[in-house]
C-alpha cells in the first residue's frame, strides 16, 4: 500500500446541500461554491431566478427609469404651458 498521505479534511468539511431527497432524508452532496445547494438540486450554473426579480417584469411601465422619464416630460409640459400662458 502507498504511503501517500490523504488530505480529504477540507473536502469533507465543505458545506453540504441538504435538499430533501426522494427517500426523505437530506442530500449530502457538496454545495456548489457560493450557493446553498448541490449541482443537482438547483446549484447548477444558470439555474434559479435572475437578480432583481426580472421574472415578474411584464412591460416595464413602472420601472424607476420609466417613472422618472414621465415625470420629466410632465415637468417640461408644465413649464411650456406656463410660458404659453405668460405670452398671452
Ligand atoms: Zn443536493
Amino acid at each position: 500500500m502507498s504511503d501517500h498521505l490523504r488530505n480529504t479534511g477540507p473536502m469533507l468539511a465543505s458545506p453540504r446541500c441538504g435538499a430533501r431527497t426522494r427517500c426523505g432524508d437530506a442530500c449530502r452532496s457538496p454545495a456548489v461554491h457560493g450557493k446553498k445547494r448541490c449541482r443537482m438540486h438547483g446549484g447548477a450554473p444558470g439555474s434559479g431566478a435572475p437578480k432583481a426579480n426580472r421574472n415578474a417584469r411584464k412591460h416595464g411601465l413602472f420601472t424607476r427609469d420609466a417613472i422618472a422619464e414621465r415625470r420629466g416630460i410632465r415637468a417640461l409640459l408644465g413649464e411650456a404651458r406656463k410660458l404659453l400662458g405668460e405670452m398671452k
Side-chain angles (χ1 to χ4, degrees):
M1 202 174 134
S2 106
D3 57 348
H4 175 70
L5 211 74
R6 297 231 176 256
N7 183 18
T8 56
M11 189 175 78
L12 295 171
S14 67
R16 297 287 129 175
C17 171
R20 195 179 66 84
T21 59
R22 282 194 277 181
C23 65
D25 37 291
C27 172
R28 286 172 290 183
S29 299
V32 172
H33 185 71
K35 295 194 177 182
K36 289 192 167 200
R37 292 293 181 233
C38 74
R39 63 196 168 87
M40 291 162 286
H41 289 125
S47 65
K51 296 278 180 231
N53 198 12
R54 275 184 277 136
N55 279 341
R57 182 175 162 165
K58 304 275 189 234
H59 39 67
L61 187 65
F62 299 105
T63 59
R64 189 173 301 170
D65 290 346
I67 291 171
E69 191 183 330
R70 287 196 298 270
R71 185 172 294 146
I73 290 170
R74 267 202 312 275
L76 192 68
L77 281 174
E79 281 177 34
R81 269 192 207 105
K82 213 168 90 182
L83 190 68
L84 283 172
E86 288 167 4
M87 285 168 77
K88 279 182 187 171

